[in-house]
PDB file of all heavy atoms in Angstrom:
ATOM      1  N   VAL A   1     204.271 153.144 126.381  1.00  0.00           N
ATOM      2  CA  VAL A   1     205.646 153.370 126.830  1.00  0.00           C
ATOM      3  C   VAL A   1     206.139 152.070 127.457  1.00  0.00           C
ATOM      4  O   VAL A   1     207.253 151.618 127.224  1.00  0.00           O
ATOM      5  CB  VAL A   1     205.704 154.486 127.915  1.00  0.00           C
ATOM      6  CG1 VAL A   1     207.150 154.806 128.285  1.00  0.00           C
ATOM      7  CG2 VAL A   1     204.991 155.731 127.465  1.00  0.00           C
ATOM      8  N   GLU A   2     205.304 151.514 128.318  1.00  0.00           N
ATOM      9  CA  GLU A   2     205.527 150.193 128.931  1.00  0.00           C
ATOM     10  C   GLU A   2     204.251 149.415 128.676  1.00  0.00           C
ATOM     11  O   GLU A   2     203.241 149.995 128.272  1.00  0.00           O
ATOM     12  CB  GLU A   2     205.722 150.330 130.459  1.00  0.00           C
ATOM     13  CG  GLU A   2     206.713 151.374 130.912  1.00  0.00           C
ATOM     14  CD  GLU A   2     208.139 150.897 130.798  1.00  0.00           C
ATOM     15  OE1 GLU A   2     208.323 149.680 130.557  1.00  0.00           O
ATOM     16  OE2 GLU A   2     209.059 151.716 130.924  1.00  0.00           O
ATOM     17  N   GLU A   3     204.285 148.131 129.000  1.00  0.00           N
ATOM     18  CA  GLU A   3     203.072 147.327 128.798  1.00  0.00           C
ATOM     19  C   GLU A   3     201.899 147.863 129.599  1.00  0.00           C
ATOM     20  O   GLU A   3     200.746 147.714 129.211  1.00  0.00           O
ATOM     21  CB  GLU A   3     203.334 145.869 129.196  1.00  0.00           C
ATOM     22  CG  GLU A   3     203.914 145.060 128.049  1.00  0.00           C
ATOM     23  CD  GLU A   3     204.131 143.609 128.427  1.00  0.00           C
ATOM     24  OE1 GLU A   3     203.324 143.076 129.216  1.00  0.00           O
ATOM     25  OE2 GLU A   3     205.113 143.024 127.948  1.00  0.00           O
ATOM     26  N   ASN A   4     202.200 148.488 130.743  1.00  0.00           N
ATOM     27  CA  ASN A   4     201.108 148.969 131.600  1.00  0.00           C
ATOM     28  C   ASN A   4     200.992 150.497 131.619  1.00  0.00           C
ATOM     29  O   ASN A   4     200.442 151.065 132.547  1.00  0.00           O
ATOM     30  CB  ASN A   4     201.276 148.442 133.034  1.00  0.00           C
ATOM     31  CG  ASN A   4     202.507 149.023 133.724  1.00  0.00           C
ATOM     32  OD1 ASN A   4     203.485 149.362 133.065  1.00  0.00           O
ATOM     33  ND2 ASN A   4     202.460 149.144 135.026  1.00  0.00           N
ATOM     34  N   LEU A   5     201.553 151.165 130.582  1.00  0.00           N
ATOM     35  CA  LEU A   5     201.456 152.624 130.521  1.00  0.00           C
ATOM     36  C   LEU A   5     201.190 153.072 129.082  1.00  0.00           C
ATOM     37  O   LEU A   5     202.076 153.051 128.230  1.00  0.00           O
ATOM     38  CB  LEU A   5     202.759 153.263 131.067  1.00  0.00           C
ATOM     39  CG  LEU A   5     202.899 154.778 130.974  1.00  0.00           C
ATOM     40  CD1 LEU A   5     201.699 155.503 131.545  1.00  0.00           C
ATOM     41  CD2 LEU A   5     204.177 155.252 131.673  1.00  0.00           C
ATOM     42  N   GLY A   6     199.923 153.457 128.820  1.00  0.00           N
ATOM     43  CA  GLY A   6     199.520 153.891 127.478  1.00  0.00           C
ATOM     44  C   GLY A   6     199.312 155.394 127.434  1.00  0.00           C
ATOM     45  O   GLY A   6     198.918 156.012 128.428  1.00  0.00           O
ATOM     46  N   VAL A   7     199.584 156.000 126.273  1.00  0.00           N
ATOM     47  CA  VAL A   7     199.511 157.465 126.130  1.00  0.00           C
ATOM     48  C   VAL A   7     198.691 157.822 124.900  1.00  0.00           C
ATOM     49  O   VAL A   7     198.784 157.155 123.863  1.00  0.00           O
ATOM     50  CB  VAL A   7     200.938 158.068 125.982  1.00  0.00           C
ATOM     51  CG1 VAL A   7     200.892 159.576 125.824  1.00  0.00           C
ATOM     52  CG2 VAL A   7     201.815 157.689 127.173  1.00  0.00           C
ATOM     53  N   MET A   8     197.892 158.897 125.012  1.00  0.00           N
ATOM     54  CA  MET A   8     197.199 159.440 123.840  1.00  0.00           C
ATOM     55  C   MET A   8     197.351 160.956 123.845  1.00  0.00           C
ATOM     56  O   MET A   8     197.190 161.600 124.895  1.00  0.00           O
ATOM     57  CB  MET A   8     195.713 159.056 123.883  1.00  0.00           C
ATOM     58  CG  MET A   8     194.920 159.541 122.693  1.00  0.00           C
ATOM     59  SD  MET A   8     195.608 159.071 121.089  1.00  0.00           S
ATOM     60  CE  MET A   8     195.209 157.352 121.016  1.00  0.00           C
ATOM     61  N   SER A   9     197.662 161.525 122.678  1.00  0.00           N
ATOM     62  CA  SER A   9     197.884 162.969 122.570  1.00  0.00           C
ATOM     63  C   SER A   9     197.617 163.428 121.141  1.00  0.00           C
ATOM     64  O   SER A   9     197.803 162.654 120.192  1.00  0.00           O
ATOM     65  CB  SER A   9     199.345 163.286 122.934  1.00  0.00           C
ATOM     66  OG  SER A   9     199.678 164.601 122.552  1.00  0.00           O
ATOM     67  N   VAL A  10     197.220 164.690 120.981  1.00  0.00           N
ATOM     68  CA  VAL A  10     197.052 165.245 119.639  1.00  0.00           C
ATOM     69  C   VAL A  10     198.403 165.271 118.926  1.00  0.00           C
ATOM     70  O   VAL A  10     198.471 165.268 117.693  1.00  0.00           O
ATOM     71  CB  VAL A  10     196.409 166.660 119.688  1.00  0.00           C
ATOM     72  CG1 VAL A  10     197.372 167.686 120.245  1.00  0.00           C
ATOM     73  CG2 VAL A  10     195.934 167.110 118.314  1.00  0.00           C
ATOM     74  N   GLY A  11     199.498 165.259 119.709  1.00  0.00           N
ATOM     75  CA  GLY A  11     200.842 165.242 119.125  1.00  0.00           C
ATOM     76  C   GLY A  11     201.059 164.058 118.181  1.00  0.00           C
ATOM     77  O   GLY A  11     201.830 164.156 117.221  1.00  0.00           O
ATOM     78  N   PHE A  12     200.353 162.949 118.422  1.00  0.00           N
ATOM     79  CA  PHE A  12     200.498 161.765 117.561  1.00  0.00           C
ATOM     80  C   PHE A  12     199.760 161.934 116.232  1.00  0.00           C
ATOM     81  O   PHE A  12     199.930 161.143 115.317  1.00  0.00           O
ATOM     82  CB  PHE A  12     199.947 160.508 118.255  1.00  0.00           C
ATOM     83  CG  PHE A  12     200.639 160.168 119.551  1.00  0.00           C
ATOM     84  CD1 PHE A  12     199.918 159.701 120.641  1.00  0.00           C
ATOM     85  CD2 PHE A  12     202.016 160.302 119.684  1.00  0.00           C
ATOM     86  CE1 PHE A  12     200.544 159.379 121.833  1.00  0.00           C
ATOM     87  CE2 PHE A  12     202.656 159.990 120.871  1.00  0.00           C
ATOM     88  CZ  PHE A  12     201.921 159.527 121.947  1.00  0.00           C
ATOM     89  N   LEU A  13     198.895 162.952 116.162  1.00  0.00           N
ATOM     90  CA  LEU A  13     198.084 163.139 114.952  1.00  0.00           C
ATOM     91  C   LEU A  13     198.688 164.200 114.029  1.00  0.00           C
ATOM     92  O   LEU A  13     198.176 164.453 112.960  1.00  0.00           O
ATOM     93  CB  LEU A  13     196.656 163.561 115.333  1.00  0.00           C
ATOM     94  CG  LEU A  13     195.933 162.650 116.333  1.00  0.00           C
ATOM     95  CD1 LEU A  13     194.576 163.240 116.702  1.00  0.00           C
ATOM     96  CD2 LEU A  13     195.766 161.248 115.786  1.00  0.00           C
ATOM     97  N   LEU A  14     199.788 164.855 114.481  1.00  0.00           N
ATOM     98  CA  LEU A  14     200.405 165.920 113.667  1.00  0.00           C
ATOM     99  C   LEU A  14     201.496 165.333 112.780  1.00  0.00           C
ATOM    100  O   LEU A  14     202.181 164.384 113.173  1.00  0.00           O
ATOM    101  CB  LEU A  14     201.014 167.000 114.580  1.00  0.00           C
ATOM    102  CG  LEU A  14     200.071 167.645 115.604  1.00  0.00           C
ATOM    103  CD1 LEU A  14     200.843 168.617 116.498  1.00  0.00           C
ATOM    104  CD2 LEU A  14     198.928 168.372 114.906  1.00  0.00           C
ATOM    105  N   SER A  15     201.671 165.922 111.594  1.00  0.00           N
ATOM    106  CA  SER A  15     202.694 165.374 110.691  1.00  0.00           C
ATOM    107  C   SER A  15     204.101 165.738 111.159  1.00  0.00           C
ATOM    108  O   SER A  15     205.073 165.071 110.836  1.00  0.00           O
ATOM    109  CB  SER A  15     202.459 165.851 109.258  1.00  0.00           C
ATOM    110  OG  SER A  15     202.334 167.250 109.254  1.00  0.00           O
ATOM    111  N   SER A  16     204.225 166.838 111.966  1.00  0.00           N
ATOM    112  CA  SER A  16     205.531 167.226 112.496  1.00  0.00           C
ATOM    113  C   SER A  16     205.319 167.833 113.876  1.00  0.00           C
ATOM    114  O   SER A  16     204.307 168.500 114.109  1.00  0.00           O
ATOM    115  CB  SER A  16     206.174 168.259 111.564  1.00  0.00           C
ATOM    116  OG  SER A  16     206.924 169.196 112.315  1.00  0.00           O
ATOM    117  N   PRO A  17     206.282 167.630 114.824  1.00  0.00           N
ATOM    118  CA  PRO A  17     206.115 168.219 116.158  1.00  0.00           C
ATOM    119  C   PRO A  17     206.082 169.751 116.143  1.00  0.00           C
ATOM    120  O   PRO A  17     205.653 170.372 117.107  1.00  0.00           O
ATOM    121  CB  PRO A  17     207.342 167.723 116.942  1.00  0.00           C
ATOM    122  CG  PRO A  17     208.187 166.948 116.013  1.00  0.00           C
ATOM    123  CD  PRO A  17     207.502 166.830 114.688  1.00  0.00           C
ATOM    124  N   ASP A  18     206.522 170.362 115.021  1.00  0.00           N
ATOM    125  CA  ASP A  18     206.520 171.829 114.928  1.00  0.00           C
ATOM    126  C   ASP A  18     205.215 172.377 114.359  1.00  0.00           C
ATOM    127  O   ASP A  18     205.041 173.597 114.254  1.00  0.00           O
ATOM    128  CB  ASP A  18     207.685 172.311 114.051  1.00  0.00           C
ATOM    129  CG  ASP A  18     209.030 171.925 114.652  1.00  0.00           C
ATOM    130  OD1 ASP A  18     209.077 171.702 115.878  1.00  0.00           O
ATOM    131  OD2 ASP A  18     210.023 171.853 113.907  1.00  0.00           O
ATOM    132  N   ASP A  19     204.290 171.494 113.944  1.00  0.00           N
ATOM    133  CA  ASP A  19     203.015 171.955 113.390  1.00  0.00           C
ATOM    134  C   ASP A  19     202.209 172.701 114.443  1.00  0.00           C
ATOM    135  O   ASP A  19     202.092 172.230 115.579  1.00  0.00           O
ATOM    136  CB  ASP A  19     202.162 170.759 112.902  1.00  0.00           C
ATOM    137  CG  ASP A  19     202.601 170.280 111.530  1.00  0.00           C
ATOM    138  OD1 ASP A  19     203.548 170.867 110.993  1.00  0.00           O
ATOM    139  OD2 ASP A  19     202.002 169.317 111.006  1.00  0.00           O
ATOM    140  N   ALA A  20     201.644 173.845 114.062  1.00  0.00           N
ATOM    141  CA  ALA A  20     200.768 174.592 114.989  1.00  0.00           C
ATOM    142  C   ALA A  20     199.341 174.079 114.834  1.00  0.00           C
ATOM    143  O   ALA A  20     198.874 173.834 113.722  1.00  0.00           O
ATOM    144  CB  ALA A  20     200.823 176.075 114.656  1.00  0.00           C
ATOM    145  N   VAL A  21     198.658 173.906 115.967  1.00  0.00           N
ATOM    146  CA  VAL A  21     197.240 173.522 115.939  1.00  0.00           C
ATOM    147  C   VAL A  21     196.438 174.811 116.079  1.00  0.00           C
ATOM    148  O   VAL A  21     196.410 175.420 117.146  1.00  0.00           O
ATOM    149  CB  VAL A  21     196.909 172.538 117.080  1.00  0.00           C
ATOM    150  CG1 VAL A  21     195.437 172.171 117.059  1.00  0.00           C
ATOM    151  CG2 VAL A  21     197.776 171.290 116.976  1.00  0.00           C
ATOM    152  N   ILE A  22     195.830 175.253 114.976  1.00  0.00           N
ATOM    153  CA  ILE A  22     195.106 176.535 114.983  1.00  0.00           C
ATOM    154  C   ILE A  22     193.616 176.204 114.868  1.00  0.00           C
ATOM    155  O   ILE A  22     193.066 176.158 113.769  1.00  0.00           O
ATOM    156  CB  ILE A  22     195.597 177.444 113.834  1.00  0.00           C
ATOM    157  CG1 ILE A  22     197.138 177.565 113.884  1.00  0.00           C
ATOM    158  CG2 ILE A  22     194.958 178.817 113.917  1.00  0.00           C
ATOM    159  CD1 ILE A  22     197.766 178.174 112.653  1.00  0.00           C
ATOM    160  N   TRP A  23     193.017 175.926 116.022  1.00  0.00           N
ATOM    161  CA  TRP A  23     191.622 175.477 116.038  1.00  0.00           C
ATOM    162  C   TRP A  23     190.781 176.365 116.940  1.00  0.00           C
ATOM    163  O   TRP A  23     191.249 176.845 117.965  1.00  0.00           O
ATOM    164  CB  TRP A  23     191.534 174.054 116.603  1.00  0.00           C
ATOM    165  CG  TRP A  23     192.078 172.992 115.730  1.00  0.00           C
ATOM    166  CD1 TRP A  23     192.585 173.126 114.477  1.00  0.00           C
ATOM    167  CD2 TRP A  23     192.181 171.597 116.060  1.00  0.00           C
ATOM    168  NE1 TRP A  23     193.010 171.904 114.010  1.00  0.00           N
ATOM    169  CE2 TRP A  23     192.767 170.953 114.957  1.00  0.00           C
ATOM    170  CE3 TRP A  23     191.838 170.850 117.170  1.00  0.00           C
ATOM    171  CZ2 TRP A  23     193.010 169.591 114.940  1.00  0.00           C
ATOM    172  CZ3 TRP A  23     192.084 169.489 117.163  1.00  0.00           C
ATOM    173  CH2 TRP A  23     192.654 168.862 116.046  1.00  0.00           C
ATOM    174  N   ARG A  24     189.519 176.518 116.563  1.00  0.00           N
ATOM    175  CA  ARG A  24     188.558 177.176 117.457  1.00  0.00           C
ATOM    176  C   ARG A  24     188.012 176.150 118.454  1.00  0.00           C
ATOM    177  O   ARG A  24     188.188 174.947 118.291  1.00  0.00           O
ATOM    178  CB  ARG A  24     187.407 177.768 116.647  1.00  0.00           C
ATOM    179  CG  ARG A  24     187.828 178.951 115.799  1.00  0.00           C
ATOM    180  CD  ARG A  24     186.605 179.623 115.198  1.00  0.00           C
ATOM    181  NE  ARG A  24     186.994 180.655 114.245  1.00  0.00           N
ATOM    182  CZ  ARG A  24     187.289 181.884 114.560  1.00  0.00           C
ATOM    183  NH1 ARG A  24     187.269 182.266 115.827  1.00  0.00           N
ATOM    184  NH2 ARG A  24     187.612 182.763 113.627  1.00  0.00           N
ATOM    185  N   GLY A  25     187.295 176.681 119.443  1.00  0.00           N
ATOM    186  CA  GLY A  25     186.775 175.841 120.538  1.00  0.00           C
ATOM    187  C   GLY A  25     186.040 174.582 120.117  1.00  0.00           C
ATOM    188  O   GLY A  25     186.372 173.488 120.579  1.00  0.00           O
ATOM    189  N   PRO A  26     185.024 174.668 119.222  1.00  0.00           N
ATOM    190  CA  PRO A  26     184.233 173.473 118.908  1.00  0.00           C
ATOM    191  C   PRO A  26     185.082 172.310 118.382  1.00  0.00           C
ATOM    192  O   PRO A  26     184.818 171.151 118.689  1.00  0.00           O
ATOM    193  CB  PRO A  26     183.253 173.962 117.833  1.00  0.00           C
ATOM    194  CG  PRO A  26     183.133 175.428 118.084  1.00  0.00           C
ATOM    195  CD  PRO A  26     184.470 175.871 118.587  1.00  0.00           C
ATOM    196  N   LYS A  27     186.134 172.640 117.603  1.00  0.00           N
ATOM    197  CA  LYS A  27     186.970 171.567 117.051  1.00  0.00           C
ATOM    198  C   LYS A  27     187.793 170.910 118.160  1.00  0.00           C
ATOM    199  O   LYS A  27     187.981 169.696 118.187  1.00  0.00           O
ATOM    200  CB  LYS A  27     187.876 172.122 115.948  1.00  0.00           C
ATOM    201  CG  LYS A  27     188.446 171.004 115.084  1.00  0.00           C
ATOM    202  CD  LYS A  27     189.061 171.491 113.802  1.00  0.00           C
ATOM    203  CE  LYS A  27     189.615 170.310 113.032  1.00  0.00           C
ATOM    204  NZ  LYS A  27     190.461 170.700 111.915  1.00  0.00           N
ATOM    205  N   LYS A  28     188.280 171.745 119.104  1.00  0.00           N
ATOM    206  CA  LYS A  28     189.016 171.191 120.244  1.00  0.00           C
ATOM    207  C   LYS A  28     188.108 170.280 121.065  1.00  0.00           C
ATOM    208  O   LYS A  28     188.489 169.170 121.448  1.00  0.00           O
ATOM    209  CB  LYS A  28     189.511 172.328 121.158  1.00  0.00           C
ATOM    210  CG  LYS A  28     190.618 173.185 120.590  1.00  0.00           C
ATOM    211  CD  LYS A  28     190.979 174.219 121.633  1.00  0.00           C
ATOM    212  CE  LYS A  28     191.992 175.218 121.132  1.00  0.00           C
ATOM    213  NZ  LYS A  28     192.251 176.260 122.112  1.00  0.00           N
ATOM    214  N   ASN A  29     186.898 170.767 121.338  1.00  0.00           N
ATOM    215  CA  ASN A  29     185.954 169.973 122.129  1.00  0.00           C
ATOM    216  C   ASN A  29     185.635 168.651 121.451  1.00  0.00           C
ATOM    217  O   ASN A  29     185.514 167.612 122.107  1.00  0.00           O
ATOM    218  CB  ASN A  29     184.642 170.750 122.349  1.00  0.00           C
ATOM    219  CG  ASN A  29     184.889 172.041 123.112  1.00  0.00           C
ATOM    220  OD1 ASN A  29     185.953 172.225 123.692  1.00  0.00           O
ATOM    221  ND2 ASN A  29     183.919 172.931 123.103  1.00  0.00           N
ATOM    222  N   GLY A  30     185.515 168.707 120.116  1.00  0.00           N
ATOM    223  CA  GLY A  30     185.221 167.487 119.352  1.00  0.00           C
ATOM    224  C   GLY A  30     186.330 166.459 119.508  1.00  0.00           C
ATOM    225  O   GLY A  30     186.065 165.257 119.653  1.00  0.00           O
TER     226      GLY A  30
END
């Protein structure tokens, strides 16, 4: 966002912000 503020989220890995993440526990933990 700024040079001194970095962000990581599963939201960056989805093809659309409306995509549902339908995962069981082990996949989330991974």
Side-chain angles (χ1 to χ4, degrees):
V1 185
E2 311 281 349
E3 273 182 34
N4 67 331
L5 175 51
V7 180
M8 182 53 74
S9 167
V10 71
F12 300 141
L13 307 176
L14 305 176
S15 52
S16 145
D18 298 337
D19 279 0
V21 179
I22 308 167
W23 290 357
R24 291 189 187 275
K27 197 166 179 192
K28 290 181 185 176
N29 299 346

